Amino acid sequence: NAGVTQTPKFQVLKTGQSMTLQCAQDMNHNSMYWYRQDPGMGLRLIYYSASEGTTDKGEVPNGYNVSRLNKREFSLRLESAAPSQTSVYFCASSHTRWEQYFGPGTRLTVT
Amino acid sequence: DAKTTQPNSMESNEEEPVHLPCNHSTISGTDYIHWYRQLPSQGPEYVIHGLTSNVNNRMASLAIAEDRKSSTLILHRATLRDAAVYYCILRKSGGTSYGKLTFGQGTILTVHP
């Protein structure tokens, strides 16, 4: 099993550009999550999807949209990137309410 | 929401036990205590969780105070690979907080050879 995969690994954007971060899991998990981690900080929840077909806002949803494409895939879109969105983005998935499995992260820089 | 307090950093020597403390004095009865760790340049990794009783798994042990206002993650024999940031997280068992983890700044564990 690959677990949770994220693409791309690195991305540099100019202010105002848009992009979509992709996440996929092969563990048949119901729930998926997007977090961001700023330097020296803990992770903060952006959006989550408790099950296929549902999405909900987390702690810091402004400037982002998500799509739960199917049970395996959960994408995060930045419509108009801003320097404040420079961060490392982690996707995670879970089957139960217990352990979450995290991907390797996407390092995004917005100039 | 209940918060956790952890030391910013701790140090240990290889092959020695490590006790990582966490205070959560405002914990509610429905809060589970979760521990995750994050190795350098990686995503967080689940370590262990518990509610009231002490818990053991292949990675670590979790000791929970009788009043649940504090807990300790115990690594029985630290290895260099255990050097990471350790997060103590309170996770509600239901309602609209389904699945949500709130990460603090964690404890940076340094392991010396």
Side-chain angles (χ1 to χ4, degrees):
Chain A
N1 285 352
V4 178
T5 57
Q6 294 183 236
T7 55
K9 287 187 168 50
F10 301 93
Q11 184 71 48
V12 179
L13 291 178
K14 291 187 180 354
T15 297
Q17 288 185 318
S18 63
M19 79 161 294
T20 300
L21 282 64
Q22 306 285 356
C23 174
Q25 52 91 9
D26 61 3
M27 296 174 280
N28 201 34
H29 287 168
N30 292 322
S31 303
M32 298 185 73
Y33 314 83
W34 276 106
Y35 295 86
R36 61 175 286 175
Q37 184 173 33
D38 299 327
M41 305 290 287
L43 282 72
R44 291 183 292 171
L45 183 65
I46 306 171
Y47 270 95
Y48 69 103
S49 171
S51 61
E52 189 179 355
T54 68
T55 60
D56 284 288
K57 295 178 180 179
E59 182 185 354
V60 288
N62 291 346
Y64 305 95
N65 286 302
V66 291
S67 295
R68 183 75 183 266
L69 304 170
N70 47 55
K71 192 171 186 178
R72 289 188 65 248
E73 298 171 289
F74 189 37
S75 64
L76 178 72
R77 183 159 178 85
L78 286 70
E79 290 292 351
S80 179
S84 61
Q85 294 178 305
T86 293
S87 191
V88 181
Y89 291 85
F90 290 101
C91 177
S93 70
S94 67
H95 178 62
T96 67
R97 297 184 177 189
W98 307 132
E99 40 190 298
Q100 291 187 15
Y101 294 83
F102 286 80
T106 294
R107 293 184 180 276
L108 176 66
T109 301
V110 183
T111 62
Chain B
D1 286 347
K3 291 184 185 290
T4 62
T5 303
Q6 301 177 251
N8 289 335
S9 62
M10 292 186 65
E11 297 187 16
S12 174
N13 294 319
E14 205 175 5
E15 298 190 5
E16 290 183 354
V18 181
H19 290 236
L20 296 163
C22 181
N23 285 323
H24 29 78
S25 58
T26 59
I27 191 171
S28 75
T30 58
D31 288 339
Y32 281 79
I33 302 160
H34 284 241
W35 284 82
Y36 281 74
R37 71 180 185 182
Q38 187 174 21
L39 279 63
S41 300
Q42 293 189 26
E45 174 186 33
Y46 167 84
V47 177
I48 200 166
H49 78 274
L51 182 62
T52 56
S53 304
N54 295 345
V55 184
N56 301 299
N57 67 18
R58 65 176 178 80
M59 290 182 69
S61 296
L62 176 60
I64 301 172
E66 196 168 333
D67 64 5
R68 300 212 324 127
K69 294 185 177 181
S70 66
S71 60
T72 302
L73 180 71
I74 302 165
L75 307 179
H76 296 285
R77 290 181 73 228
T79 68
L80 296 177
R81 195 195 172 276
D82 291 322
V85 180
Y86 286 79
Y87 297 100
C88 171
I89 301 167
L90 300 183
R91 189 178 187 290
K92 293 196 179 297
S93 63
T96 58
S97 298
Y98 184 96
K100 294 181 186 178
L101 298 176
T102 301
F103 287 78
Q105 293 198 328
T107 297
I108 300 171
L109 175 65
T110 302
V111 180
H112 299 289

